[in-house]
Amino acid sequence: MGSCQSQQCSHGAGPQEEKSKEDIQLDEQLKRIKHKLLVMSGKGGVGKSSVASYLAVGLSKLGYRVGLLDVDLHGPSIPGMLGLRGMFRVDPDENLLIPHKYNDFLQVVSIQCLLEDSDAAVIWRGPVKHGVIKQFIAEAKWGDLDFLLIDSPPGTGDEPLSVAQMMPDAKAVIVTTPQEVSLADVRKSINFCRKVNMPILGLVENMNGLICPHCNKEVPLFGKGGGGKMAEKMGVHLLGSLPFDPRVVESADIGKSLLEQTDDSPFLKALGKLIAEVVSRSGIQQGGTVQKEAGAADTLSDPQSFKVAIPMAGGALTNHFGHCEQFLIVDVQKGVIGNKETITPPPHEPGLLPRWLGELNVNLIIAGGMGSRAIELFNQQNIKVVTGAPCLPPEELIQQYLANTLKTGANACDH
């Protein structure tokens, strides 16, 4: 990866040759990214970066392969919010920057992870910013992605314009709060997108009321419903409204997303609906009800009576199937959840888990993702496999499965 702190990259080639090579790399990488979402706002302080990070983590927990690119070059905050520390490494064979890994399905690139001093001021003009953003896309080892979320700085300056020029198929997610001063700036963001022919996926109304932790009453800190009215007036889709939750601020300060917890708070409920709306509006086929993977057992002998294994972390399903720390084994008889047992699996070896779970008389697995070879091995054990399941508590997953309402997304590990 060339140095991002110089105005011109140099790998020993002339300017025209280098430009051509970089443009080819850019085109090749963009072809491997299905959906590009530019998260932007008309002004600062509306929680744009928080929305970007929560969308990225939430999508990754559904098993989608996600990249999060922080192009707020003067005020990067994504690494701190996600607890990512240290400088980037470079792949010596391909000379590509290796993004930081938040989890197995989320990679992050930010200028902050290229600065030895995190407090250093980045003083760059527009052309340099454009070149750095191009390098972050073309010369980072992203691989195949379902989503690339780009967190841009507030306003309609160089960074969002560069993204619009590089990614003609990108769509905008515009973040606002209900108060009028924020909505006035949002109108400028909407008009910017229309000026550069960038489709708008929708508007997110953030901090839409505080649920008092003492009396459970809603307090309209920044007004109420202004985002919905603005969306209707400007002809933009309202993706969702997120209530103000002080824990979002606290979790950002310690670098740990609230999505690593499991609760039924108004914020996480609203966030779940928002993420589902983003997926739906992006045109991804989620499959409606449970999908059968190729090679998997077709049916259970009794669809209301079975023994199911669910890979667990923090009280909910985890996408780390082959390397999860614990499995929850649950007996279901005639549609009623019975005995539950948490078991630590044996050390991971190829082909071991299918035999081990078969010996435990498991005949159903609900997972976020699984490789095709593993699915074949489970099929040989006559164990049905459901992949693409959301990261929900096990009882909820089982109840949805029994009711044939379990929504599944992409197989989080389809190799």
Side-chain angles (χ1 to χ4, degrees):
M1 169 113 182
S3 171
C4 288
Q5 299 188 43
S6 64
Q7 292 196 20
Q8 179 178 351
C9 304
S10 175
H11 296 282
Q16 185 61 41
E17 180 183 351
E18 176 59 32
K19 180 177 183 296
S20 175
K21 177 183 176 182
E22 191 174 43
D23 284 344
I24 291 172
Q25 282 182 290
L26 179 68
D27 291 341
E28 289 177 349
Q29 181 55 64
L30 290 177
K31 289 177 184 177
R32 302 178 69 179
I33 303 170
K34 295 179 183 177
H35 303 278
K36 299 99 173 171
L37 302 181
L38 174 65
V39 184
M40 59 186 303
S41 65
K43 65 183 295 293
V46 300
K48 169 190 54 63
S49 295
S50 293
V51 170
S53 66
Y54 274 97
L55 282 176
V57 174
L59 288 166
S60 75
K61 285 185 171 294
L62 289 177
Y64 295 109
R65 295 163 296 185
V66 182
L68 178 54
L69 174 57
D70 183 1
V71 300
D72 191 345
L73 303 177
H74 299 290
S77 57
I78 292 294
M81 288 182 173
L82 297 181
L84 302 175
R85 302 286 186 268
M87 302 280 286
F88 286 122
R89 294 182 295 112
V90 175
D91 186 310
D93 298 322
E94 301 179 72
N95 196 30
L96 295 176
L97 182 150
I98 301 174
H100 272 311
K101 250 180 129 174
Y102 177 80
N103 60 33
D104 283 351
F105 301 97
L106 174 57
Q107 306 173 75
V108 179
V109 167
S110 171
I111 187 66
Q112 185 170 318
C113 298
L114 284 174
L115 302 174
E116 293 185 5
D117 180 3
S118 61
D119 294 328
V122 176
I123 306 173
W124 288 338
R125 293 185 182 273
V128 182
K129 295 179 183 179
H130 183 87
V132 169
I133 293 171
K134 179 183 283 189
Q135 281 187 295
F136 277 165
I137 300 168
E139 299 184 31
K141 196 171 182 177
W142 293 106
D144 296 316
L145 296 177
D146 296 305
F147 287 94
L148 176 65
L149 283 88
I150 305 105
D151 180 35
S152 70
T156 55
D158 293 314
E159 293 87 345
L161 182 59
S162 291
V163 172
Q165 292 172 342
M166 289 180 211
M167 306 180 196
D169 58 341
K171 297 179 181 179
V173 174
I174 303 175
V175 182
T176 184
T177 58
Q179 63 189 128
E180 178 56 35
V181 66
S182 176
L183 294 171
D185 289 321
V186 162
R187 288 190 283 268
K188 297 175 184 177
S189 295
I190 293 173
N191 289 328
F192 165 85
C193 292
R194 290 172 175 167
K195 187 75 173 178
V196 300
N197 297 316
M198 177 181 288
I200 299 173
L201 190 72
L203 189 72
V204 176
E205 185 181 43
N206 196 25
M207 307 183 200
N208 186 39
L210 165 69
I211 305 298
C212 177
H214 304 292
C215 65
N216 290 325
K217 291 183 178 180
E218 188 175 17
V219 181
L221 288 178
F222 303 105
K224 182 73 176 174
K229 295 175 184 176
M230 169 62 65
E232 183 177 358
K233 181 178 179 180
M234 298 292 290
V236 175
H237 182 75
L238 180 65
L239 290 168
S241 296
L242 298 174
F244 182 86
D245 189 333
R247 296 180 307 154
V248 173
V249 179
E250 296 167 4
S251 65
D253 286 343
I254 63 174
K256 186 173 183 180
S257 171
L258 285 182
L259 282 169
E260 302 306 331
Q261 305 175 25
T262 303
D263 61 39
D264 58 353
S265 69
F267 175 81
L268 289 181
K269 284 183 177 179
L271 179 65
K273 293 178 181 178
L274 171 62
I275 292 170
E277 188 69 8
V278 167
V279 171
S280 175
R281 296 277 297 178
S282 298
I284 289 182
Q285 298 297 318
Q286 281 193 283
T289 54
V290 174
Q291 301 295 297
K292 179 178 78 68
E293 291 285 340
D298 287 335
T299 60
L300 298 169
S301 57
D302 182 351
Q304 294 291 303
S305 300
F306 48 83
K307 180 179 276 192
V308 58
I310 301 175
M312 299 291 293
L317 177 143
T318 175
N319 285 322
H320 301 270
F321 179 84
H323 299 275
C324 77
E325 296 180 357
Q326 292 181 318
F327 279 90
L328 183 68
I329 311 296
V330 182
D331 278 314
V332 180
Q333 295 298 324
K334 299 189 182 300
V336 178
I337 296 176
N339 183 56
K340 293 180 287 186
E341 185 179 8
T342 300
I343 301 179
T344 300
H348 180 71
E349 294 178 12
L352 177 60
L353 286 180
R355 296 194 303 272
W356 176 68
L357 291 173
E359 292 170 357
L360 294 175
N361 297 318
V362 167
N363 48 9
L364 172 66
I365 291 172
I366 298 177
M370 188 183 300
S372 57
R373 176 55 180 162
I375 293 174
E376 292 176 5
L377 294 173
F378 279 112
N379 185 44
Q380 294 173 11
Q381 297 285 337
N382 201 31
I383 297 175
K384 181 177 180 178
V385 176
V386 172
T387 62
C391 298
L392 296 173
E395 291 83 357
E396 189 170 346
L397 289 169
I398 295 170
Q399 293 291 0
Q400 290 183 11
Y401 179 85
L402 288 166
N404 199 33
T405 60
L406 178 59
K407 301 289 184 179
T408 56
N411 184 351
C413 181
D414 56 4
H415 59 273

